[in-house]
C-alpha cells in the first residue's frame, strides 16, 4: 500500500477498561507501539476505558492522534480535546464515517456492544466489496474466541460464505499485531 501521508490505524475498543488487567496493558502497549512505528491513531476521541488508555499512551510517546466524537458523547466519553486533531460530529454515523475514511487499517481491541457494532460494520462492508482495508482482531487472553466461534457458526449454518473469516486477521498480542500491521501498511 503506497502512502502519501502517515499510515493511519483506526482502533475500535471499549469505553470501559474491562475486568482482566491484560486488556489495559495491551491497550497501553498498542498506543506506545503506534507512536514508535509512526502510525497515526484514529479513534473515537474518548478519554475513558481502553480508548483513553490507547490515546494517552500514543501521546506520551510522541504519536500523532486523530479523534472523532459526536456532540452528545462529549461528556459521557470525556472528549479528549488535546489530540493532534480533534473533530466533533453531529451524529454517530458521521463519527464512524470520518474515522473509517481516515484509516488505512482497522484494529479491534476488547470492547462491548459499541466495539462490536463498529467491527461488524467494517467486516460487512468488506464482505460486500465496499473497501479493502485490513481488519485485525486483538484477541487478548482469548477475549474474542466466542465471537470467532459465532462467525464459524454463521458459516457452518450457511448464512455466510466461508471467505468471511478471510477478511479478518486474528492476533494474540501486540507484537504479533505490529508485525501484521507492518506487512499490511508497507
Ligand atoms: P463499547 O465497546 O460499548 O464500550 O463502545 C466503544 C465505543 O463505540 C464508544 O466510543 C461508543 O460510543 C461507540 N459506540 C457505541 N455504540 C455505537 C454505535 N451504534 N455506532 C458507533 N459507535 C458506537
Amino acid at each position: 500500500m503506497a502512502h502519501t501521508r502517515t499510515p493511519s490505524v483506526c482502533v475500535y475498543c471499549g469505553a470501559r477498561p474491562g475486568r482482566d488487567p491484560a486488556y489495559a496493558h495491551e491497550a497501553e502497549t498498542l498506543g506506545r507501539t503506534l507512536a514508535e512505528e509512526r502510525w497515526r491513531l484514529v479513534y473515537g476521541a474518548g478519554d475513558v476505558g481502553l480508548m483513553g488508555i490507547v490515546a494517552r499512551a500514543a501521546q506520551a510517546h510522541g504519536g500523532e492522534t486523530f479523534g472523532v466524537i459526536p456532540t452528545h458523547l462529549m461528556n459521557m466519553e470525556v472528549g479528549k480535546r488535546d489530540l493532534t486533531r480533534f473533530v466533533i460530529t453531529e451524529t454517530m454515523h458521521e463519527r464512524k464515517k470520518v474515522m473509517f475514511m481516515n484509516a488505512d487499517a482497522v484494529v479491534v481491541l476488547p470492547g462491548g456492544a459499541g466495539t462490536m457494532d463498529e467491527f461488524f460494520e467494517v467486516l460487512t462492508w468488506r464482505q460486500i466489496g465496499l473497501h479493502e482495508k485490513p481488519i485485525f482482531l486483538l484477541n487478548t487472553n482469548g477475549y474474542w474466541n466466542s465471537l470467532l466461534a459465532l462467525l464459524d457458526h454463521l458459516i457452518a449454518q450457511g448464512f455466510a460464505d466461508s471467505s468471511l473469516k478471510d477478511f479478518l486477521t486474528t492476533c494474540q498480542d501486540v507484537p504479533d499485531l505490529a508485525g501484521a500491521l507492518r506487512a499490511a501498511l508497507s
Side-chain angles (χ1 to χ4, degrees):
M1 201 184 291
H3 291 281
T4 51
R5 56 171 171 79
T6 312
S8 296
V9 177
C10 178
V11 176
Y12 298 141
C13 61
R16 304 173 188 213
R19 292 228 164 88
D20 185 340
Y23 305 143
H25 177 263
E26 287 288 86
E28 209 277 333
T29 309
L30 176 62
R32 173 168 49 81
T33 302
L34 293 174
E36 286 171 354
E37 297 282 345
R38 303 257 175 281
W39 294 326
R40 181 176 67 159
L41 167 69
V42 176
Y43 87 115
D47 204 2
V48 291
L50 298 189
M51 299 171 72
I53 292 170
V54 176
R56 288 194 298 273
Q59 286 179 314
H61 293 86
E64 203 180 324
T65 52
F66 181 5
V68 189
I69 194 164
T71 318
H72 82 281
L73 288 181
M74 272 299 288
N75 291 333
M76 209 190 304
E77 295 188 355
V78 192
K80 194 159 166 45
R81 293 181 177 272
D82 63 345
L83 303 169
T84 315
R85 232 181 128 195
F86 177 71
V87 172
I88 300 178
T89 61
E90 282 193 9
T91 68
M92 223 54 192
H93 283 111
E94 279 170 6
R95 176 205 226 176
K96 288 200 287 190
K97 184 176 171 188
V98 174
M99 285 169 67
F100 182 74
M101 286 180 67
N102 282 283
D104 300 300
V106 170
V107 167
V108 185
L109 267 53
T115 303
M116 289 183 67
D117 170 84
E118 293 165 319
F119 164 71
F120 275 110
E121 184 166 89
V122 293
L123 181 68
T124 52
W125 283 356
R126 179 86 201 254
Q127 181 180 234
I128 57 177
L130 288 178
H131 72 90
E132 291 194 348
K133 299 184 187 191
I135 306 166
F136 302 92
L137 207 54
L138 186 63
N139 196 22
T140 306
N141 285 347
Y143 180 75
W144 291 118
N145 284 351
S146 44
L147 175 69
L148 293 166
L150 177 63
L151 296 181
D152 283 333
H153 177 66
L154 307 186
I155 294 166
Q157 292 302 313
F159 285 107
D161 198 88
S162 58
S163 65
L164 183 66
K165 285 178 78 184
D166 298 346
F167 302 135
L168 192 59
T169 303
T170 304
C171 301
Q172 299 312 317
D173 53 28
V174 173
D176 184 18
L177 171 65
L181 276 170
R182 235 173 264 129
L185 295 172
S186 60

